[in-house]
Amino acid sequence: MASSNVTQKLHALEAAPPQSKVAGYTELLDSLLAAAQDTKIIPDLVAYCQAIIGESVGIVTSRNLLNNFVDKLRNISDTEVRIGIGSQVLDVIAPKVVSFEEQDTAIKLILADAYEADEDFTSSAKVLQTITLDSSQRSVSDNDKAATWIRIVRCYLEEDDPTSALTYLNRAKNIYHDVTDQTTRLQFQLSQARISDSQRSFLDASRTYYNVSQETVIDEDDRLQALSAAVRCAILAPAGPQRAQQLSRFFRDERATQIEEYGILEKIFLDRVLSPGEVKAFAEKLQPHQKALTSDGSTVLDKAVLEHNLLAASRLYMNIGTTQLGEMLGVDAEKAEVYAAQMIEQGRLSGYIDQIDGLIYFGGAAQQGRTNGAVAGSQESRMWDDNVKNLAEEVERVTTMIQTEYPDFYAANMVH
């Protein structure tokens, strides 16, 4: 309840001449805010707002006075006071909100800011949801609509609620092509990536993060962070051709050497087996949802690494026993066989399993392994020839680099 002193002043202003009302109400508001800005002031300010939108004040004057109140509310530093005043004033305005939509929206944005400052993102999202975006009283641009929906999305993502976030992302998606504000468009892409990431659609998340990393309008550091996020998500994605294509794109990006994940990216791209130490160091950089357990009790990273190492093994061997493969992957033979079977069935690994002999044939050996030894040998010879050819080309490339960078050394040591 408002103090008796303030109540008396408000009654006096109600009876005052119209020409002196604006000055009188403005002076009263200033005096209230100058006296205190703690929770004790809340009842007085609520009573003040009830008075300025009352019948004794014309609608035009009420809007001007309420605009002034909104400006002063925005400058109150105490978030508890802002939340207390803002939430109660919204209740006061609610019966007449059609006449004060602009002021109602402004107070809700101030209230949302205060909730976010207190890290209460769910309350902020709920306040933002009540903003009228389709109104006959005022025109709301697609940029403003999208900005509001994306802000709601980001609030829900801060609370790890991707399901609610997706609802509002889809609303923004419907008008995305009409949005011209670059900041809103970038926030849309980042939100889309974060939702895909949280739902373990790692390839989709990786592509979107990478698109953001190529936006020249953002700072270089932010672009590199987006590239790091893209690489992490790609590494966590299921092994296969799509993942390999994505990692190849990252490895060839000239910025890749600047990010912390370059070491593990290089080993994965070159189909090298990952060591437990490398995996542990990478895991420390992951978000909690990226460390969640899958149905078989392993983490997403565990599964991704196991599948990668299985692919790496397929590059090293024509065939391998399931027991030996399990030892290489750090699992038992049965689990190694199950993972290999799943990847073969899904078309992410070329191979064939001989369960009787406990062998897994990879690549061409999968087709020829037990039925045509001569053809299998021919296949092995072709692979050997290809490896020798690739080695020779690599030696030639290094020699050319030495000749270009150190011509004197080349002339003295390598020309006969």
Side-chain angles (χ1 to χ4, degrees), residues 66-67 69-76 79 81-83 85-87 90 103-117 124 127-128 131 151:
L66 199 52
N67 283 334
F69 171 82
V70 170
D71 290 337
K72 298 295 173 63
L73 177 63
R74 188 177 287 113
N75 293 326
I76 294 177
T79 57
V81 175
R82 266 187 290 158
I83 291 172
I85 296 172
S87 56
L90 288 176
Q103 294 76 18
D104 177 77
T105 297
I107 293 172
K108 287 174 179 176
L109 291 173
I110 293 171
L111 196 54
D113 289 339
Y115 279 127
E116 289 179 28
S124 177
V127 169
L128 293 169
I131 293 177
R151 186 172 176 183

